[in-house]
């Protein structure tokens, strides 16, 4: 169902903005009034990586007047796309704010480089008309859902997994929310473990930015009470209904949203507690006389791109779904590694359970090796 516009339109637009937005200004059902509402809109975007960065670009290009960017992570080389932020060291939020303001002179931005946490959530959200959450952290999505329900703020949500993506609009006074979709916190998703098609993030960004525009202008029917599911491999897009869960408690007590990247299952965390070695320790082992079995648990394509000499490729799935652990030599210590130490810790739990109590895994994985031991090794 349609909803009234979230904001009142500004009185007029600068001539430069009129020229830039000519195609939208002549669009039936949008026109000058819709464009002036966008100029009055204040949108908070949480997260500025593969989903958040293109969202920022599309919102700014659509004519949103004020954008808040909550992301305190440092800008990495792989973050420089779809707008090419400056190359000087900075946070993602600061880099994108400066890049967007250079491209769109009428845009005003605010950076929240502390990210988005329970102590500042209420105060931060209170200054915006709506929130767009591009975070992959389920705990943070839940925090956003709770504070938006408390403040009455609409919340545009999206997530990606492999080659699939989902989008919805959570607005507690009008329909179900994140807690209704996920009564229990979903398992943490980490690209380093599962991988994803980056283009799905771009698709999500367009869909989520479009929902924000619809909410601000009152045009169309936002995805309140509905979830749009996209499957890039199948080339399909379906919309399914979402209803309130009678067990969902509102208002919910705000809970801290710690960053989940690197979070392990309880079994993997326990296995890795006293069985994690550094890249420096691994180098000593490799340079020494004590024989070890160095096992790389990544996928073949990753291994072909960069690997340690002498390592044996045995993908994680062969440990979790097969008998790879049973086939490891028992006359020498097993050392497991992956890209960043997440998959190897999960495999370590299986290996230890199979009768290799002295097995260890490499903290930081092959990325840490490239950074601290062999800078010539390709990093990804």
């Amino acid at each position: 169902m349609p909803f009234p516009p979230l904001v009142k339109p500004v009185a007029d637009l600068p001539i430069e903005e009129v020229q830039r937005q000519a195609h939208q200004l002549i669009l039936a059902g949008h026109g000058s009034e819709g464009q002036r509402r966008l100029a009055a809109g204040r949108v908070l975007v949480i997260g500025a990586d593969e989903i958040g960065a293109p969202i920022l670009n599309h919102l700014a290009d659509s004519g949103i007047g004020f954008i808040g960017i909550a992301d305190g992570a440092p800008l990495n080389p792989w973050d420089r796309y779809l707008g090419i932020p400056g190359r000087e060291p900075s946070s993602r939020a600061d880099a994108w704010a400066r890049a967007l303001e250079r491209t769109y002179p009428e845009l005003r931005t605010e950076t929240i480089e502390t990210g988005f946490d329970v102590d500042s959530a209420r105060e931060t959200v209170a200054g915006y008309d709506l929130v767009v959450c591009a975070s992959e952290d389920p705990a943070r999505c839940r925090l956003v859902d709770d504070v938006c329900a408390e403040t009455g703020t609409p919340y545009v949500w999206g997530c990606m997994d492999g080659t699939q993506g989902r989008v919805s609009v959570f607005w507690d006074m009008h329909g179900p929310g994140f807690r209704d979709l996920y009564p229990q916190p979903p398992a943490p998703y980490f690209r380093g473990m599962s991988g994803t098609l980056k283009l799905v993030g771009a698709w999500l960004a367009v869909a989520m930015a479009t929902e924000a525009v619809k909410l601000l202008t009152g045009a169309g029917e936002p995805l309140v009470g509905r979830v749009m599911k996209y499957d890039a491999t199948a080339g399909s897009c379906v919309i399914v209904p979402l209803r309130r869960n009678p067990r969902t408690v509102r208002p919910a007590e705000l809970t801290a949203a710690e960053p989940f990247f690197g979070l392990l299952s309880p079994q993997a965390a326990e296995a890795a507690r006293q069985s994690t070695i550094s890249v420096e320790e691994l180098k000593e082992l490799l340079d020494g006389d004590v024989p070890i079995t160095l096992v790389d648990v990544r996928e073949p394509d990753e291994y072909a791109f960069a690997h340690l000499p002498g390592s044996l490729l045995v993908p994680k799935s062969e440990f979790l779904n097969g008998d790879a652990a049973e086939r490891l030599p028992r006359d020498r210590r097993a050392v497991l590694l992956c890209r960043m130490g997440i998959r190897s810790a999960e495999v370590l739990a299986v290996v230890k359970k199979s009768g290799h109590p002295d097995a260890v895994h490499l903290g930081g994985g092959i990325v840490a090796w490239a950074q601290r031991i062999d800078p010539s090794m390709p990093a990804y």
Side-chain angles (χ1 to χ4, degrees):
M1 59 177 288
F3 294 91
L6 284 178
V7 296
K8 295 180 179 180
V10 298
D12 51 40
L13 298 171
I15 184 61
E16 294 82 3
E17 190 68 1
V18 171
Q19 294 171 339
R20 193 172 70 83
Q21 299 294 353
H23 288 177
Q24 292 188 169
L25 287 167
I26 63 173
L27 176 65
H30 181 82
S32 173
E33 181 175 317
Q35 199 60 47
R36 288 184 288 118
R37 290 188 192 278
L38 294 183
R42 297 174 62 90
V43 180
L44 173 64
V45 178
I46 299 173
D49 57 0
E50 275 129 324
I51 304 175
I55 286 174
L56 292 168
N57 280 274
H58 288 301
L59 290 177
D61 193 58
S62 295
I64 303 298
F66 192 102
I67 298 176
I69 310 170
D71 193 329
L75 185 71
N76 294 301
W78 51 85
D79 291 319
R80 298 189 176 104
Y81 58 91
L82 296 176
I84 316 299
R87 296 188 176 277
E88 61 273 19
S90 62
S91 69
R92 283 178 183 154
D94 181 63
W96 279 109
R98 287 186 281 106
L100 292 174
E101 287 183 345
R102 284 195 299 267
T103 307
Y104 306 100
E106 300 301 322
L107 174 67
R108 293 171 296 151
T109 64
E110 176 187 28
T111 59
I112 301 98
E113 297 185 61
T114 55
F116 189 86
D117 55 43
V118 68
D119 295 326
S120 61
R122 290 187 181 92
E123 182 180 356
T124 301
V125 168
Y128 291 90
D129 301 305
L130 65 91
V131 175
V132 179
C133 183
S135 173
E136 294 172 284
D137 181 352
R140 181 156 288 112
C141 292
R142 177 170 281 214
L143 173 61
V144 175
D145 189 52
D146 291 341
V147 73
C148 285
E150 185 179 291
T151 60
T153 308
Y155 160 29
V156 180
W157 167 83
C159 76
M160 60 180 176
D161 186 357
T163 60
Q164 300 180 344
R166 290 188 292 171
V167 179
S168 189
V169 174
F170 304 135
W171 199 354
D172 189 64
M173 65 179 66
H174 296 293
F178 185 83
R179 282 181 178 266
D180 297 297
L181 182 61
Y182 292 111
Q184 298 296 322
Y189 171 69
F190 181 52
R191 293 189 306 274
M193 290 189 286
S194 303
T196 192
L197 186 65
K198 291 176 69 175
L199 286 170
V200 174
W203 179 89
L204 282 168
V206 173
M208 294 168 72
T210 302
E211 292 303 305
V213 167
K214 287 157 62 178
L215 288 162
L216 290 170
T217 63
E221 297 188 18
L223 289 169
V224 176
R226 298 181 294 160
V227 179
M228 182 162 58
K229 298 182 176 182
Y230 172 64
D231 187 322
T233 303
S236 64
C237 185
V238 298
I239 296 178
V240 297
L242 174 64
R243 296 179 176 84
R244 289 190 186 273
N245 187 320
R247 298 182 180 179
T248 300
V249 177
R250 293 291 193 201
E253 181 181 355
L254 301 190
T255 55
E258 298 296 333
F260 79 96
F261 290 107
L263 187 65
L264 303 174
S265 69
Q267 296 85 355
E270 180 60 30
R273 197 179 309 280
Q274 302 295 331
S275 300
T276 300
I277 64 172
S278 67
V279 290
E280 291 80 9
E281 289 173 312
L282 175 59
K283 188 174 187 308
E284 289 182 11
L285 287 174
L286 294 174
D287 292 342
D289 298 327
V290 179
I292 63 172
T293 301
L294 187 59
V295 183
D296 193 318
V297 302
R298 296 174 298 152
E299 296 300 312
D301 287 346
E302 297 176 87
Y303 186 84
F305 181 71
H307 63 271
L308 296 186
S311 60
L312 174 68
L313 174 65
V314 186
K316 172 186 169 184
S317 59
E318 295 187 22
F319 286 95
L320 271 57
N321 305 318
D323 64 348
E326 302 295 334
R327 292 187 275 110
L328 289 178
R330 296 183 181 273
D331 60 346
R332 58 185 62 193
R333 192 180 203 185
V335 179
L336 310 169
L337 74 142
C338 64
R339 178 174 178 254
M340 295 182 70
I342 309 301
R343 283 172 285 182
S344 59
E346 298 291 343
V347 171
L348 180 65
V350 177
V351 170
K352 281 184 171 292
K353 189 175 180 180
S354 73
H356 296 269
D358 61 344
V360 295
H361 88 116
L362 181 63
I366 203 165
V367 170
W369 182 273
Q371 290 173 342
R372 288 150 48 188
I373 303 298
D374 183 7
S376 68
M377 175 175 284
Y380 68 102

